Amino acid sequence: MQKLTLELPEPLFQQLTRIAELTAQPLESLALQSITGNLPPSVENLPLEMQAELSRMQLLSFNQLLEIAHSQVSEIHSDRHQYLLEKNQQSELTETEYQELQDLGRIVDRMMLTKAHAWAILRWRGYPIPTLDELPVGA
């Protein structure tokens, strides 16, 4: 455990004190809980090969993050991926097609993880997260 001393503005300190009293919690526990709940999204539990790229996303502007969050797999890749998935269900893939399906799956997984991380950063910065109904089809 490390110790950190903070200087808080008086109104914030008074607010924390009131909440600590109302909830019968030690002031330090409430402050720790508040800090823990408001940290930016972490990349520690994400694939090691993507951690550096995802960490750099913290430096991106709102618009850059929104562009990533709304990005989509191209229609050509999406159609090919769907075709290969259906063919795989019928056990009709060649070895080359199977490898292509694996590669497309990795591309899609990587894109979804990047998009999710962009949304997590946007949410942390206070941007409202759209509901599923508000997202474009195929997002």
Side-chain angles (χ1 to χ4, degrees):
M1 185 75 88
Q2 299 290 321
K3 185 174 185 172
L4 171 67
T5 302
L6 294 175
E7 289 189 31
L8 299 175
E10 186 64 25
L12 178 59
F13 180 78
Q14 292 302 324
Q15 183 180 7
L16 276 173
T17 302
R18 279 192 308 276
I19 294 171
E21 290 170 359
L22 288 172
T23 59
Q25 296 180 65
L27 184 59
E28 293 80 9
S29 296
L30 183 60
L32 180 60
Q33 180 183 3
S34 297
I35 292 170
T36 302
N38 289 296
L39 290 174
S42 172
V43 298
E44 292 175 9
N45 295 324
L46 300 176
L48 186 60
E49 66 275 9
M50 291 185 66
Q51 288 183 1
E53 173 190 349
L54 295 174
S55 292
R56 283 190 299 274
M57 288 174 63
Q58 289 286 347
L59 304 174
L60 298 178
S61 71
F62 242 56
N63 288 339
Q64 290 170 313
L65 290 168
L66 277 174
E67 185 176 326
I68 292 169
H70 286 286
S71 63
Q72 296 186 15
V73 175
S74 73
E75 190 172 332
I76 292 172
H77 282 102
S78 180
D79 289 348
R80 180 70 177 162
H81 190 225
Q82 188 61 39
Y83 168 77
L84 292 172
L85 283 171
E86 290 170 6
K87 197 171 176 182
N88 187 43
Q89 286 179 338
Q90 299 164 0
S91 302
E92 295 176 353
L93 287 179
T94 66
E95 185 62 34
T96 303
E97 288 173 326
Y98 180 77
Q99 185 58 51
E100 184 182 1
L101 177 61
Q102 296 298 310
D103 292 344
L104 287 172
R106 279 190 284 276
I107 290 169
V108 170
D109 289 347
R110 184 179 183 88
M111 179 176 223
M112 295 309 292
L113 192 54
T114 303
K115 289 174 61 149
H117 196 68
W119 280 119
I121 294 170
L122 286 166
R123 190 180 111 218
W124 178 68
R125 290 184 185 178
Y127 188 85
I129 302 300
T131 65
L132 287 176
D133 293 336
E134 296 170 331
L135 289 172
V137 174

